[in-house]
Amino acid sequence: MAYVWLFASIVTEVIATTALKSVNNFTAPIPTAIVVFGYAATFYLFYRAIETIQVGVAYAIWSGLGMVLIALLAWMIHRQALDTPAFIGIGLILSGVVVLQIFSKTAGH
């Protein structure tokens, strides 16, 4: 169940961070509400995840997957440019998360 909490935390953080681009100095009510409630949900869900998963491992997965998803959403939604080195970096981040999950004994399987 801890990885469900962690995945949900990643999703809410990605949604909140993506909405942050549209808050217009916090005057746009819907994007602002998404950001505020999204980050509140993110930290609650992350707290639930680290009740079981080691905080260092959970944070590595959370931040790594969050960075990848936000970069890809910014590319798709906001048309922010990603070049070849950016895609290579994204691949390396994903590789690191996979190595941590599959090969590390600290991941707490």
Side-chain angles (χ1 to χ4, degrees):
M1 188 67 189
Y3 280 95
V4 172
W5 295 117
L6 182 59
F7 179 73
S9 176
I10 293 166
V11 169
T12 56
E13 191 266 337
V14 167
I15 291 168
T17 301
T18 302
L20 195 57
K21 179 87 172 151
S22 303
V23 297
N24 194 27
N25 205 25
F26 294 96
T27 60
I30 292 174
T32 298
I34 291 170
V35 168
V36 170
F37 291 112
Y39 281 131
T42 294
F43 290 113
Y44 172 76
L45 294 164
F46 188 74
Y47 162 75
R48 293 299 308 266
I50 64 171
E51 288 179 315
T52 305
I53 305 168
Q54 293 181 27
V55 69
V57 171
Y59 188 74
I61 294 167
W62 181 78
S63 61
L65 291 180
M67 282 188 291
V68 167
L69 292 172
I70 289 166
L72 293 175
L73 283 174
W75 177 58
M76 293 183 326
I77 294 171
H78 300 295
R79 303 286 186 227
Q80 294 179 356
L82 290 177
D83 57 9
T84 300
F87 283 110
I88 291 169
I90 287 170
L92 290 170
I93 292 168
L94 288 174
S95 298
V97 170
V98 168
V99 167
L100 180 64
Q101 279 301 107
I102 293 175
F103 300 109
S104 176
K105 294 181 186 344
T106 63
H109 306 348

XYZ file of all heavy atoms in Angstrom:
834
model
N 0.821 -1.199 0.000
C 0.000 0.000 0.000
C 0.864 1.262 0.000
O 0.451 2.290 -0.527
C -0.923 -0.040 1.223
C -1.954 1.026 1.240
S -3.137 0.791 -0.095
C -4.032 2.282 -0.010
N 2.053 1.178 0.572
C 2.918 2.357 0.658
C 3.276 2.888 -0.723
O 3.364 4.113 -0.912
C 4.183 2.027 1.441
N 3.458 2.003 -1.683
C 3.805 2.468 -3.030
C 2.593 3.086 -3.737
O 2.749 3.928 -4.620
C 4.451 1.352 -3.850
C 5.908 1.200 -3.471
C 6.307 0.275 -2.523
C 6.871 2.034 -4.027
C 7.637 0.168 -2.153
C 8.201 1.932 -3.668
C 8.583 1.006 -2.726
O 9.901 0.918 -2.352
N 1.403 2.698 -3.348
C 0.197 3.362 -3.865
C 0.165 4.803 -3.357
O -0.099 5.739 -4.111
C -1.081 2.590 -3.461
C -2.337 3.374 -3.826
C -1.093 1.214 -4.089
N 0.451 4.974 -2.039
C 0.525 6.331 -1.470
C 1.598 7.146 -2.193
O 1.380 8.324 -2.508
C 0.853 6.297 0.021
C -0.177 5.679 0.910
C -0.013 4.561 1.674
C -1.509 6.138 1.163
N -1.165 4.297 2.368
C -2.098 5.261 2.080
C -2.253 7.214 0.687
C -3.398 5.415 2.541
C -3.550 7.377 1.153
C -4.102 6.482 2.062
N 2.743 6.535 -2.427
C 3.843 7.249 -3.087
C 3.460 7.642 -4.505
O 3.680 8.790 -4.915
C 5.116 6.392 -3.089
C 6.348 7.037 -3.711
C 6.729 8.324 -2.995
C 7.518 6.050 -3.695
N 2.872 6.726 -5.257
C 2.468 7.037 -6.623
C 1.416 8.147 -6.634
O 1.468 9.063 -7.455
C 1.944 5.785 -7.341
C 1.503 6.053 -8.746
C 2.434 6.284 -9.753
C 0.156 6.109 -9.073
C 2.036 6.552 -11.052
C -0.262 6.381 -10.368
C 0.689 6.612 -11.364
N 0.456 8.079 -5.725
C -0.570 9.121 -5.629
C 0.061 10.468 -5.283
O -0.346 11.513 -5.805
C -1.620 8.734 -4.601
N 1.067 10.453 -4.427
C 1.786 11.679 -4.071
C 2.491 12.275 -5.285
O 2.484 13.494 -5.483
C 2.798 11.381 -2.957
O 3.564 12.523 -2.651
N 3.083 11.424 -6.088
C 3.755 11.880 -7.314
C 2.734 12.506 -8.265
O 2.959 13.595 -8.807
C 4.511 10.722 -7.991
C 5.675 10.265 -7.121
C 4.993 11.127 -9.380
C 6.274 8.924 -7.524
N 1.603 11.861 -8.437
C 0.573 12.360 -9.352
C 0.050 13.720 -8.890
O -0.057 14.656 -9.691
C -0.574 11.338 -9.503
C -1.773 11.943 -10.231
C -0.079 10.093 -10.224
N -0.261 13.854 -7.593
C -0.790 15.132 -7.111
C 0.262 16.237 -7.195
O -0.067 17.383 -7.496
C -1.343 15.028 -5.678
O -0.328 14.528 -4.798
C -2.573 14.124 -5.623
N 1.513 15.896 -6.966
C 2.577 16.898 -7.076
C 2.751 17.352 -8.521
O 2.932 18.542 -8.791
C 3.891 16.340 -6.522
C 4.979 17.376 -6.354
C 5.903 17.465 -7.549
O 6.005 16.478 -8.304
O 6.527 18.531 -7.723
N 2.683 16.439 -9.442
C 2.816 16.775 -10.865
C 1.642 17.650 -11.313
O 1.834 18.638 -12.026
C 2.936 15.491 -11.715
C 2.760 15.782 -13.189
C 4.279 14.817 -11.453
N 0.440 17.320 -10.884
C -0.728 18.135 -11.232
C -0.581 19.542 -10.651
O -0.793 20.540 -11.354
C -2.026 17.457 -10.751
C -2.293 16.191 -11.560
C -3.212 18.423 -10.827
C -3.380 15.297 -10.983
N -0.216 19.632 -9.374
C -0.080 20.941 -8.723
C 1.020 21.774 -9.371
O 0.836 22.972 -9.623
C 0.195 20.763 -7.231
N 2.142 21.162 -9.657
C 3.256 21.898 -10.264
C 2.913 22.343 -11.675
O 3.243 23.465 -12.077
C 4.537 21.049 -10.246
O 4.843 20.725 -8.882
C 5.708 21.799 -10.845
N 2.237 21.506 -12.430
C 1.825 21.880 -13.779
C 0.830 23.039 -13.728
O 0.913 23.975 -14.523
C 1.228 20.673 -14.511
O 2.202 19.619 -14.541
C 0.838 21.019 -15.932
N -0.089 23.028 -12.768
C -1.066 24.112 -12.613
C -0.407 25.419 -12.174
O -0.932 26.501 -12.448
C -2.150 23.708 -11.616
N 0.737 25.319 -11.509
C 1.433 26.514 -11.014
C 1.746 27.491 -12.144
O 1.751 28.708 -11.945
C 2.713 26.093 -10.290
C 3.411 27.105 -9.412
C 2.486 27.638 -8.328
C 4.629 26.456 -8.772
N 1.969 26.980 -13.332
C 2.267 27.820 -14.493
C 1.090 28.740 -14.835
O 1.281 29.783 -15.434
C 2.615 26.919 -15.690
C 2.917 27.629 -16.963
C 4.351 28.001 -17.061
C 4.641 28.531 -18.456
N 5.706 29.479 -18.456
N -0.126 28.388 -14.409
C -1.332 29.118 -14.799
C -1.966 29.951 -13.684
O -3.065 30.475 -13.875
C -2.378 28.124 -15.309
O -1.853 27.380 -16.381
N -1.316 30.094 -12.533
C -1.968 30.793 -11.417
C -2.048 32.305 -11.605
O -2.818 32.963 -10.910
C -1.310 30.473 -10.050
C -1.445 29.014 -9.717
C 0.105 30.959 -9.988
N -1.262 32.864 -12.533
C -1.318 34.297 -12.840
C -1.230 35.152 -11.573
O -2.163 35.866 -11.227
C -2.567 34.616 -13.656
C -2.503 35.991 -14.284
O -1.417 36.504 -14.549
N -3.663 36.581 -14.526
N -0.088 35.022 -10.889
C 0.151 35.764 -9.640
C -0.916 35.432 -8.585
O -1.332 36.288 -7.806
C 0.221 37.266 -9.908
C 1.028 37.986 -8.860
O 1.891 37.395 -8.213
N 0.743 39.263 -8.673
N -1.374 34.206 -8.600
C -2.397 33.680 -7.689
C -3.714 34.445 -7.766
O -4.444 34.555 -6.787
C -1.855 33.600 -6.253
C -0.757 32.590 -6.120
C 0.571 32.973 -6.201
C -1.054 31.249 -5.958
C 1.593 32.039 -6.110
C -0.041 30.302 -5.866
C 1.284 30.702 -5.944
N -4.042 34.946 -8.964
C -5.327 35.619 -9.168
C -6.300 34.746 -9.950
O -7.488 35.081 -10.017
C -5.138 36.952 -9.931
O -4.540 36.680 -11.210
C -4.272 37.924 -9.145
N -5.843 33.666 -10.525
C -6.719 32.731 -11.242
C -7.209 31.688 -10.238
O -6.431 30.869 -9.751
C -5.968 32.076 -12.393
N -8.493 31.712 -9.879
C -8.965 30.886 -8.768
C -8.850 29.370 -8.972
O -8.458 28.662 -8.047
C -10.430 31.297 -8.576
C -10.786 32.171 -9.710
C -9.533 32.571 -10.424
N -9.170 28.881 -10.141
C -9.150 27.417 -10.333
C -7.719 26.877 -10.309
O -7.430 25.940 -9.544
C -9.929 27.008 -11.594
C -11.420 27.300 -11.369
C -9.699 25.535 -11.934
C -12.294 27.075 -12.572
N -6.777 27.431 -11.093
C -5.404 26.934 -10.988
C -4.815 27.109 -9.580
O -4.106 26.236 -9.093
C -4.634 27.763 -12.011
C -5.657 28.219 -12.990
C -6.910 28.401 -12.195
N -5.148 28.209 -8.911
C -4.649 28.440 -7.548
C -5.177 27.365 -6.603
O -4.424 26.824 -5.781
C -5.029 29.849 -7.059
O -4.405 30.812 -7.919
C -4.569 30.076 -5.627
N -6.454 27.034 -6.709
C -7.034 25.986 -5.858
C -6.384 24.638 -6.144
O -6.093 23.868 -5.213
C -8.546 25.910 -6.077
N -6.128 24.360 -7.411
C -5.458 23.100 -7.767
C -4.073 23.041 -7.134
O -3.671 22.012 -6.577
C -5.385 22.941 -9.298
C -6.777 22.706 -9.873
C -4.442 21.795 -9.691
C -6.856 22.775 -11.392
N -3.342 24.149 -7.179
C -2.000 24.192 -6.590
C -2.066 23.988 -5.077
O -1.352 23.148 -4.516
C -1.292 25.519 -6.949
C -0.024 25.708 -6.121
C -0.972 25.566 -8.435
N -2.906 24.747 -4.397
C -2.976 24.682 -2.932
C -3.416 23.302 -2.460
O -2.755 22.677 -1.622
C -3.913 25.790 -2.382
C -4.189 25.590 -0.902
C -3.305 27.165 -2.642
N -4.524 22.819 -3.004
C -5.022 21.509 -2.573
C -4.126 20.378 -3.072
O -3.943 19.374 -2.380
C -6.471 21.307 -3.021
C -7.428 22.204 -2.294
C -8.090 23.220 -2.970
C -7.650 22.063 -0.935
C -8.963 24.065 -2.301
C -8.518 22.905 -0.252
C -9.179 23.913 -0.936
N -3.542 20.557 -4.252
C -2.635 19.545 -4.785
C -1.398 19.349 -3.930
O -1.012 18.226 -3.626
N -0.784 20.471 -3.512
C 0.405 20.344 -2.663
C 0.052 19.822 -1.276
O 0.807 19.042 -0.686
C 1.168 21.663 -2.574
C 2.022 21.943 -3.782
C 1.974 23.185 -4.416
C 2.872 20.985 -4.318
C 2.753 23.456 -5.537
C 3.647 21.242 -5.435
C 3.582 22.476 -6.031
O 4.350 22.742 -7.137
N -1.094 20.226 -0.743
C -1.522 19.686 0.553
C -1.706 18.169 0.456
O -1.229 17.413 1.325
C -2.811 20.357 1.006
N -2.369 17.721 -0.591
C -2.567 16.283 -0.793
C -1.230 15.579 -0.997
O -1.000 14.487 -0.466
C -3.485 16.034 -1.992
N -0.345 16.216 -1.748
C 0.972 15.632 -2.020
C 1.710 15.299 -0.734
O 2.220 14.190 -0.564
C 1.821 16.617 -2.856
O 1.213 16.748 -4.136
C 3.247 16.131 -3.007
N 1.779 16.270 0.169
C 2.559 16.042 1.378
C 1.880 15.083 2.330
O 2.556 14.311 3.017
C 2.922 17.369 2.038
C 3.921 18.119 1.218
C 3.592 19.313 0.604
C 5.191 17.609 1.005
C 4.509 19.995 -0.184
C 6.118 18.271 0.214
C 5.773 19.470 -0.372
N 0.558 15.056 2.363
C -0.127 14.055 3.170
C 0.148 12.649 2.625
O 0.498 11.731 3.374
C -1.641 14.311 3.215
C -2.370 13.171 3.880
C -2.330 13.027 5.259
C -3.054 12.225 3.119
C -2.965 11.957 5.880
C -3.697 11.157 3.734
C -3.654 11.025 5.105
O -4.267 9.961 5.707
N -0.007 12.492 1.315
C 0.224 11.182 0.697
C 1.674 10.741 0.837
O 1.951 9.557 1.084
C -0.194 11.228 -0.774
C -1.696 11.435 -1.018
C -1.953 11.844 -2.457
C -2.468 10.185 -0.644
N 2.607 11.688 0.694
C 4.021 11.345 0.857
C 4.294 10.908 2.295
O 5.022 9.940 2.529
C 4.912 12.532 0.472
C 6.372 12.175 0.443
C 6.890 11.404 -0.582
C 7.233 12.602 1.439
C 8.234 11.055 -0.613
C 8.573 12.268 1.414
C 9.070 11.491 0.390
N 3.689 11.603 3.256
C 3.819 11.206 4.659
C 3.338 9.771 4.861
O 3.994 8.972 5.530
C 3.034 12.166 5.564
C 2.771 11.584 6.924
C 3.784 11.503 7.869
C 1.518 11.067 7.240
C 3.549 10.934 9.114
C 1.273 10.496 8.472
C 2.296 10.430 9.404
O 2.069 9.856 10.625
N 2.202 9.433 4.259
C 1.683 8.075 4.391
C 2.650 7.059 3.785
O 2.854 5.971 4.320
C 0.305 7.947 3.714
C -0.818 8.733 4.371
C -1.080 8.311 5.824
N -1.274 6.897 6.006
C -2.434 6.270 6.034
N -3.552 6.956 5.902
N -2.496 4.967 6.214
N 3.276 7.425 2.664
C 4.230 6.513 2.019
C 5.451 6.267 2.901
O 5.914 5.129 3.012
C 4.659 7.078 0.662
N 5.960 7.314 3.536
C 7.199 7.146 4.315
C 6.957 6.548 5.695
O 7.900 6.338 6.447
C 8.020 8.449 4.416
C 7.271 9.533 5.163
C 8.462 8.890 3.030
C 8.110 10.763 5.468
N 5.713 6.235 5.996
C 5.461 5.447 7.199
C 6.055 4.053 7.039
O 6.406 3.413 8.017
C 3.963 5.345 7.488
C 3.349 6.631 7.979
C 1.856 6.509 8.238
O 1.138 5.916 7.388
O 1.419 6.999 9.278
N 6.163 3.590 5.789
C 6.676 2.254 5.498
C 7.972 2.285 4.697
O 8.899 1.555 4.996
C 5.609 1.443 4.720
O 4.398 1.450 5.462
C 6.067 0.029 4.488
N 8.016 3.125 3.673
C 9.190 3.205 2.793
C 10.209 4.147 3.427
O 9.840 5.191 3.975
C 8.793 3.743 1.400
C 7.679 2.903 0.775
C 10.009 3.788 0.471
C 7.050 3.539 -0.450
N 11.485 3.800 3.338
C 12.528 4.690 3.852
C 12.430 6.036 3.154
O 12.235 6.114 1.928
C 13.913 4.093 3.611
C 14.189 2.847 4.403
C 15.594 2.327 4.118
O 16.489 3.077 3.763
N 15.776 1.031 4.289
N 12.572 7.113 3.932
C 12.359 8.452 3.389
C 13.317 8.772 2.236
O 12.922 9.389 1.248
C 12.416 9.535 4.493
C 13.819 9.696 5.056
C 11.884 10.859 3.980
N 14.561 8.345 2.317
C 15.520 8.611 1.246
C 15.147 7.922 -0.053
O 15.242 8.501 -1.134
N 14.704 6.701 0.058
C 14.275 5.939 -1.120
C 12.997 6.538 -1.692
O 12.885 6.767 -2.902
C 14.062 4.449 -0.753
C 13.418 3.688 -1.894
C 15.391 3.812 -0.349
N 12.031 6.816 -0.828
C 10.768 7.391 -1.289
C 11.004 8.739 -1.961
O 10.432 9.023 -3.020
C 9.797 7.549 -0.118
N 11.861 9.569 -1.370
C 12.109 10.892 -1.944
C 12.837 10.781 -3.283
O 12.546 11.544 -4.207
C 12.903 11.773 -0.972
C 12.998 13.186 -1.459
C 11.892 14.025 -1.398
C 14.165 13.671 -2.028
C 11.959 15.324 -1.875
C 14.238 14.969 -2.502
C 13.135 15.793 -2.421
O 13.207 17.066 -2.905
N 13.751 9.845 -3.402
C 14.460 9.660 -4.676
C 13.470 9.282 -5.778
O 13.528 9.817 -6.889
C 15.541 8.593 -4.533
N 12.559 8.386 -5.482
C 11.564 7.969 -6.465
C 10.609 9.129 -6.754
O 10.321 9.440 -7.914
C 10.794 6.729 -5.968
C 11.745 5.533 -5.874
C 9.601 6.416 -6.870
C 11.184 4.351 -5.108
N 10.140 9.787 -5.697
C 9.182 10.888 -5.822
C 9.759 12.024 -6.666
O 9.124 12.490 -7.600
C 8.823 11.371 -4.425
C 7.837 12.479 -4.317
C 6.478 12.388 -4.434
C 8.122 13.844 -4.028
N 5.911 13.615 -4.238
C 6.889 14.533 -3.976
C 9.297 14.552 -3.795
C 6.813 15.891 -3.717
C 9.214 15.910 -3.527
C 7.979 16.567 -3.503
N 10.961 12.435 -6.321
C 11.543 13.569 -7.050
C 11.947 13.175 -8.470
O 11.742 13.946 -9.414
C 12.732 14.155 -6.287
O 13.750 13.202 -6.123
N 12.486 11.981 -8.649
C 12.905 11.543 -9.976
C 11.739 11.416 -10.934
O 11.748 11.992 -12.027
N 10.721 10.686 -10.525
C 9.556 10.525 -11.407
C 8.803 11.838 -11.577
O 8.294 12.136 -12.659
C 8.626 9.434 -10.875
C 9.166 8.017 -10.948
C 8.154 7.017 -10.389
C 9.554 7.645 -12.364
N 8.755 12.637 -10.511
C 8.109 13.945 -10.611
C 8.789 14.833 -11.634
O 8.132 15.470 -12.460
N 10.123 14.873 -11.600
C 10.869 15.689 -12.568
C 10.594 15.233 -13.996
O 10.378 16.057 -14.891
C 12.376 15.619 -12.299
C 12.838 16.476 -11.161
S 14.640 16.538 -11.038
C 15.028 14.879 -10.541
N 10.626 13.941 -14.204
C 10.399 13.400 -15.544
C 9.000 13.752 -16.034
O 8.827 14.261 -17.154
C 10.618 11.873 -15.559
C 10.088 11.257 -16.838
C 12.092 11.549 -15.365
N 7.995 13.510 -15.210
C 6.621 13.772 -15.622
C 6.366 15.257 -15.857
O 5.701 15.640 -16.824
C 5.642 13.205 -14.592
C 5.608 11.682 -14.509
C 4.757 11.225 -13.327
C 5.096 11.094 -15.811
N 6.906 16.114 -14.992
C 6.715 17.553 -15.169
C 7.412 18.038 -16.428
O 6.851 18.844 -17.188
C 7.186 18.320 -13.917
C 6.207 18.057 -12.778
C 7.304 19.822 -14.199
C 6.714 18.473 -11.423
N 8.614 17.564 -16.684
C 9.316 17.962 -17.908
C 8.525 17.539 -19.146
O 8.376 18.323 -20.091
C 10.718 17.350 -17.941
N 7.993 16.328 -19.132
C 7.224 15.854 -20.287
C 5.904 16.607 -20.444
O 5.513 16.958 -21.552
C 6.981 14.347 -20.179
C 8.230 13.473 -20.299
C 7.892 12.007 -20.051
C 8.917 13.660 -21.641
N 5.227 16.896 -19.334
C 3.979 17.660 -19.421
C 4.230 19.098 -19.873
O 3.447 19.650 -20.653
C 3.247 17.649 -18.079
C 2.500 16.364 -17.756
C 1.928 16.412 -16.347
C 1.397 16.110 -18.763
N 5.303 19.708 -19.388
C 5.643 21.068 -19.832
C 5.932 21.071 -21.331
O 5.570 22.013 -22.040
C 6.842 21.594 -19.045
N 6.552 20.022 -21.799
C 6.851 19.878 -23.228
C 5.555 19.733 -24.034
O 5.368 20.383 -25.060
C 7.769 18.672 -23.406
C 8.132 18.317 -24.812
C 8.747 19.113 -25.736
C 7.917 17.059 -25.444
N 8.936 18.409 -26.903
C 8.432 17.141 -26.751
C 7.354 15.863 -25.030
C 8.394 16.083 -27.645
C 7.318 14.806 -25.915
C 7.831 14.922 -27.203
N 4.634 18.899 -23.529
C 3.400 18.624 -24.264
C 2.358 19.739 -24.106
O 1.747 20.141 -25.085
C 2.799 17.289 -23.798
C 3.662 16.102 -24.171
S 2.986 14.464 -23.739
C 2.110 14.692 -22.246
N 2.156 20.234 -22.889
C 1.080 21.198 -22.626
C 1.518 22.633 -22.893
O 0.816 23.398 -23.540
C 0.576 21.051 -21.176
C -0.094 19.690 -20.997
C -0.386 22.185 -20.808
C -0.430 19.340 -19.568
N 2.675 23.006 -22.362
C 3.133 24.393 -22.447
C 4.097 24.629 -23.605
O 4.627 25.725 -23.756
C 3.774 24.827 -21.124
C 2.846 24.737 -19.961
N 1.714 25.508 -19.843
C 2.875 23.953 -18.854
C 1.094 25.209 -18.720
N 1.771 24.264 -18.107
N 4.342 23.585 -24.378
C 5.225 23.685 -25.556
C 6.640 24.142 -25.196
O 7.287 24.840 -25.972
C 4.626 24.614 -26.612
C 3.253 24.239 -27.082
C 3.341 23.039 -27.994
N 2.013 22.763 -28.561
C 1.498 21.558 -28.596
N 2.150 20.538 -28.122
N 0.317 21.359 -29.131
N 7.102 23.764 -24.001
C 8.462 24.094 -23.616
C 9.413 23.113 -24.293
O 9.171 21.912 -24.332
C 8.615 24.055 -22.090
C 7.794 25.141 -21.432
C 7.897 25.137 -19.928
O 8.519 24.274 -19.330
N 7.266 26.109 -19.306
N 10.484 23.650 -24.820
C 11.408 22.856 -25.633
C 12.207 21.861 -24.789
O 12.642 22.183 -23.688
C 12.362 23.774 -26.382
N 12.374 20.680 -25.331
C 13.289 19.676 -24.783
C 14.163 19.213 -25.941
O 13.653 18.793 -26.975
C 12.528 18.484 -24.198
C 11.735 18.718 -22.918
C 10.987 17.454 -22.537
C 12.644 19.160 -21.790
N 15.471 19.290 -25.749
C 16.381 18.858 -26.807
C 16.889 17.452 -26.498
O 16.495 16.824 -25.509
C 17.525 19.858 -26.993
C 18.315 20.094 -25.718
O 18.104 19.364 -24.715
O 19.147 21.006 -25.711
N 17.760 16.965 -27.339
C 18.285 15.605 -27.180
C 18.950 15.393 -25.814
O 18.671 14.382 -25.157
C 19.248 15.267 -28.332
O 18.527 15.366 -29.566
C 19.806 13.863 -28.191
N 19.829 16.304 -25.352
C 20.397 16.091 -24.008
C 19.335 16.038 -22.912
O 19.483 15.284 -21.944
C 21.332 17.291 -23.823
C 21.704 17.699 -25.200
C 20.476 17.439 -26.031
N 18.262 16.802 -23.052
C 17.191 16.752 -22.056
C 16.533 15.371 -22.033
O 16.277 14.815 -20.965
C 16.146 17.834 -22.345
N 16.269 14.819 -23.213
C 15.676 13.479 -23.270
C 16.646 12.417 -22.745
O 16.227 11.460 -22.089
C 15.214 13.148 -24.691
C 13.926 13.812 -25.064
C 13.900 14.838 -25.998
C 12.733 13.418 -24.470
C 12.702 15.456 -26.342
C 11.531 14.023 -24.807
C 11.523 15.052 -25.745
N 17.927 12.604 -22.998
C 18.921 11.663 -22.443
C 18.911 11.753 -20.920
O 18.930 10.736 -20.218
C 20.322 11.954 -23.026
C 20.352 11.582 -24.513
C 21.411 11.197 -22.250
C 21.594 12.059 -25.252
N 18.872 12.979 -20.396
C 18.815 13.167 -18.941
C 17.580 12.534 -18.336
O 17.642 11.892 -17.281
N 16.437 12.694 -19.001
C 15.203 12.064 -18.531
C 15.365 10.545 -18.506
O 14.969 9.884 -17.545
C 14.013 12.501 -19.417
C 13.651 13.953 -19.119
C 12.816 11.573 -19.231
C 12.661 14.570 -20.096
N 15.981 10.003 -19.532
C 16.238 8.561 -19.557
C 17.142 8.114 -18.424
O 16.921 7.064 -17.819
N 18.149 8.919 -18.116
C 19.053 8.580 -17.009
C 18.330 8.631 -15.660
O 18.562 7.783 -14.794
C 20.261 9.515 -17.010
C 21.238 9.309 -18.164
C 22.261 10.439 -18.207
C 21.920 7.960 -18.054
N 17.457 9.619 -15.482
C 16.679 9.695 -14.241
C 15.809 8.454 -14.098
O 15.771 7.816 -13.032
C 15.825 10.970 -14.197
C 16.720 12.211 -14.070
C 14.828 10.926 -13.035
C 16.000 13.523 -14.305
N 15.112 8.090 -15.168
C 14.275 6.891 -15.126
C 15.102 5.642 -14.855
O 14.689 4.759 -14.098
C 13.491 6.742 -16.431
C 12.363 7.730 -16.644
C 11.766 7.579 -18.041
C 11.283 7.538 -15.584
N 16.283 5.580 -15.448
C 17.175 4.442 -15.206
C 17.565 4.361 -13.737
O 17.605 3.274 -13.153
C 18.441 4.555 -16.057
O 18.118 4.538 -17.421
N 17.829 5.507 -13.148
C 18.182 5.538 -11.724
C 17.057 5.037 -10.844
O 17.280 4.285 -9.887
N 15.835 5.422 -11.144
C 14.684 4.952 -10.378
C 14.525 3.440 -10.532
O 14.289 2.724 -9.556
C 13.396 5.701 -10.796
C 12.157 5.057 -10.190
C 13.481 7.172 -10.409
N 14.698 2.939 -11.743
C 14.585 1.495 -11.986
C 15.676 0.739 -11.227
O 15.398 -0.268 -10.568
C 14.631 1.184 -13.502
C 14.800 -0.305 -13.760
C 13.386 1.710 -14.183
N 16.907 1.215 -11.292
C 18.007 0.564 -10.574
C 17.724 0.550 -9.075
O 17.908 -0.469 -8.395
C 19.355 1.255 -10.876
C 20.443 0.820 -9.912
C 19.770 0.973 -12.315
N 17.257 1.669 -8.557
C 16.934 1.753 -7.130
C 15.868 0.726 -6.756
O 16.002 0.012 -5.766
C 16.457 3.173 -6.795
C 16.074 3.451 -5.358
C 17.282 3.297 -4.435
C 15.505 4.849 -5.238
N 14.841 0.616 -7.560
C 13.742 -0.298 -7.264
C 14.111 -1.766 -7.443
O 13.701 -2.607 -6.650
C 12.538 0.022 -8.148
C 11.722 1.158 -7.635
C 11.196 0.864 -6.253
O 11.672 1.424 -5.286
N 10.246 -0.009 -6.138
N 14.864 -2.074 -8.479
C 15.135 -3.480 -8.781
C 16.341 -4.032 -8.025
O 16.303 -5.139 -7.527
C 15.312 -3.668 -10.305
C 13.983 -3.403 -11.010
C 15.806 -5.075 -10.630
C 14.055 -3.450 -12.512
N 17.393 -3.243 -7.921
C 18.644 -3.778 -7.406
C 19.004 -3.358 -5.993
O 19.790 -4.028 -5.333
C 19.804 -3.402 -8.350
C 19.619 -3.952 -9.742
C 19.316 -3.110 -10.793
C 19.719 -5.307 -9.990
C 19.126 -3.610 -12.078
C 19.536 -5.813 -11.260
C 19.236 -4.969 -12.307
N 18.451 -2.278 -5.502
C 18.831 -1.807 -4.165
C 18.131 -2.594 -3.077
O 16.913 -2.791 -3.122
C 18.500 -0.323 -4.011
O 18.785 0.093 -2.701
N 18.887 -3.010 -2.081
C 18.310 -3.696 -0.946
C 17.666 -2.710 0.008
O 16.901 -3.086 0.881
C 19.377 -4.516 -0.230
C 19.905 -5.666 -1.059
C 20.941 -6.454 -0.284
C 21.647 -7.530 -1.048
N 21.173 -8.015 -2.264
N 17.950 -1.408 -0.136
C 17.363 -0.400 0.745
C 15.958 0.001 0.322
O 15.272 0.688 1.068
C 18.230 0.880 0.799
O 18.271 1.459 -0.503
C 19.621 0.582 1.284
N 15.510 -0.406 -0.850
C 14.194 0.003 -1.342
C 13.065 -0.641 -0.542
O 11.934 -0.223 -0.630
C 14.055 -0.288 -2.823
N 13.372 -1.654 0.245
C 12.390 -2.255 1.142
C 11.276 -3.020 0.453
O 10.117 -2.794 0.702
N 11.661 -3.943 -0.426
C 10.642 -4.716 -1.154
C 9.957 -5.661 -0.188
O 10.381 -6.485 0.413
C 11.259 -5.531 -2.285
C 12.076 -4.701 -3.235
N 12.082 -3.325 -3.258
C 12.932 -5.064 -4.215
C 12.890 -2.897 -4.202
N 13.421 -3.936 -4.789
